[in-house]
């Protein structure tokens, strides 16, 4: 039977988001295990090996993320019972230069600097700088991997003749930025492929097909109500006001952890 409504909540989106988060846990475990490749006494010699190893792990998990995205899209399309066959175009892992640039950014504070020019982070002891670099590397790796899954679904929506739009699915404990975008529902047109995400973002893409009506989840309706009541119409301060409203009125946690 054709699914005439689709939502950012419910079994399908929740299972997909849970699968991607499980992938993230394994990714972080493997990236963390590569820390042993960095030899503090030989930073300039050992860091390239670490970059290459993390990049290989990112590529591996990006392929898995894309496969999860393709599977999710197929399931959602089958539930919509739209006519015609469609093969999901599976996204490739991020370009090597993009991964390397992200990792170099994560490790930028590791190198010795002139004390008079160094930032507070760059003046910390080397062991602390390395710990911070590892945490940043885990976050950028997560985004690179998650983006590959998201881009798979987005590109499928763009190419599928039966797709009409997409919506954003955010976790209950997502940040204010993600909840704000998720509260807007299926306002993103079929050809909108720009998915705004931060490091550590676990939001997903929900395709909407011909003949379907998007029905926001209870939490997305609550976020939309809070936004309209406390933030809409305040140009330049909407996100700050929305964050405050969530902290005071939302029943779910507003993290610094996403």
């Amino acid at each position: 039977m054709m699914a005439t409504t689709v939502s950012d909540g419910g079994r399908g989106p929740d299972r997909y988001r849970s699968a991607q988060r499980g992938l993230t846990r394994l990714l972080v475990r493997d990236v963390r295990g590569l820390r042993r490749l960095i030899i503090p006494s030989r930073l300039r010699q050992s860091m390239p090996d670490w970059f290459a190893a993390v990049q290989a792990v990112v590529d591996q998990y990006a392929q898995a993320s894309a496969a999860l995205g393709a599977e999710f899209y197929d399931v959602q399309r089958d539930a919509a019972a739209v006519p015609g066959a469609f093969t999901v175009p599976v996204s490739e892992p991020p370009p090597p230069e993009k991964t390397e640039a992200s990792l170099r950014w994560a490790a930028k504070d590791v190198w010795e600097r002139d004390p008079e020019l160094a930032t507070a982070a760059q003046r910390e002891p080397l062991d602390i700088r390395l710990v911070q670099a590892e945490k940043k590397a885990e976050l950028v790796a997560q985004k690179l991997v998650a983006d590959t899954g998201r881009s798979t679904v987005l590109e499928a929506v763009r190419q599928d003749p039966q797709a009409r739009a997409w919506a954003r699915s955010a976790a209950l404990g997502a940040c204010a930025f993600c909840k704000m975008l998720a509260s807007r529902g299926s306002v993103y047109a079929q050809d909108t492929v720009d998915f705004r995400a931060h490091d550590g973002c676990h939001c997903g893409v929900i395709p909407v097909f011909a003949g379907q009506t998007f029905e926001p989840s209870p939490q997305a309706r609550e976020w939309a109500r809070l936004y309209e009541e406390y933030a809409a119409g305040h140009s330049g301060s909407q996100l700050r006001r929305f964050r405050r409203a969530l902290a005071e009125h939302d029943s779910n946690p507003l993290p610094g952890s996403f």
Side-chain angles (χ1 to χ4, degrees), residues 21-33:
R21 291 186 76 104
L23 198 66
T24 292
R25 285 192 291 272
L26 296 175
L27 168 71
V28 169
R29 178 203 64 188
D30 288 355
V31 169
R32 195 167 291 167

Side-chain angles (χ1 to χ4, degrees), residues 4-256:
T4 56
T5 62
V6 62
S7 177
D8 58 302
R11 184 178 179 184
D14 289 350
R15 286 182 63 183
Y16 173 53
R17 191 167 51 243
S18 177
Q20 290 285 12
R21 291 186 76 104
L23 198 66
T24 292
R25 285 192 291 272
L26 296 175
L27 168 71
V28 169
R29 178 203 64 188
D30 288 355
V31 169
R32 195 167 291 167
L34 297 174
R35 168 69 175 76
R36 68 186 187 280
L37 297 176
I38 302 177
I39 303 171
S41 62
R42 299 177 62 245
L43 274 183
R44 295 201 177 277
Q45 293 80 14
S46 61
M47 288 295 285
D49 292 338
W50 179 73
F51 286 143
V54 175
Q55 185 156 1
V57 168
V58 167
D59 286 352
Q60 174 190 351
Y61 279 95
Q63 291 172 356
S65 179
L68 285 174
E71 180 183 20
F72 173 68
Y73 190 88
D74 283 339
V75 169
Q76 293 295 103
R77 197 177 196 276
D78 288 345
V82 293
F86 179 74
T87 300
V88 176
V90 179
S91 296
E92 294 293 327
E97 58 273 16
K98 182 175 183 179
T99 303
E100 182 175 349
S102 297
L103 293 174
R104 287 191 179 279
W105 171 84
K108 65 183 176 64
D109 292 335
V110 165
W111 312 106
E112 292 291 341
R113 307 292 177 98
D114 182 334
E116 295 183 359
L117 301 177
T119 64
Q122 292 162 355
R123 288 194 293 268
E124 293 284 358
L126 178 58
D127 59 339
I128 294 179
R129 301 202 307 270
L130 286 172
V131 168
Q132 293 304 315
E134 180 186 326
K135 290 179 179 178
K136 290 178 181 178
E138 291 169 5
L139 287 171
V140 299
Q142 181 276 334
K143 184 177 185 300
L144 290 166
V145 167
D147 280 349
T148 310
R150 287 186 283 251
S151 68
T152 295
V153 181
L154 286 169
E155 187 59 22
V157 171
R158 191 182 73 82
Q159 292 190 27
D160 189 348
Q162 295 297 331
R164 294 294 180 267
W166 58 272
R168 187 184 187 107
S169 172
L172 293 177
C175 69
F177 172 78
C178 291
K179 289 180 176 180
M180 179 181 70
L181 296 183
S183 74
R184 297 174 180 174
S186 57
V187 300
Y188 306 100
Q190 182 182 17
D191 59 353
T192 304
V193 294
D194 179 25
F195 189 100
R196 300 173 65 189
H198 51 76
D199 293 344
C201 177
H202 294 285
C203 289
V205 180
I206 308 299
V208 181
F209 297 97
Q212 284 191 316
T213 301
F214 181 78
E215 185 175 290
S217 61
Q219 63 265 23
R221 288 197 299 271
E222 176 64 5
W223 300 334
R225 184 190 70 79
L226 291 173
Y227 183 84
E228 286 299 317
E229 183 173 347
Y230 294 98
H234 297 276
S235 180
S237 62
Q238 292 99 324
L239 183 58
R240 177 173 55 81
R241 289 173 176 270
F242 184 55
R243 184 180 293 111
R244 183 187 304 159
L246 289 170
E248 294 177 358
H249 304 289
D250 192 14
S251 59
N252 300 294
L254 229 194

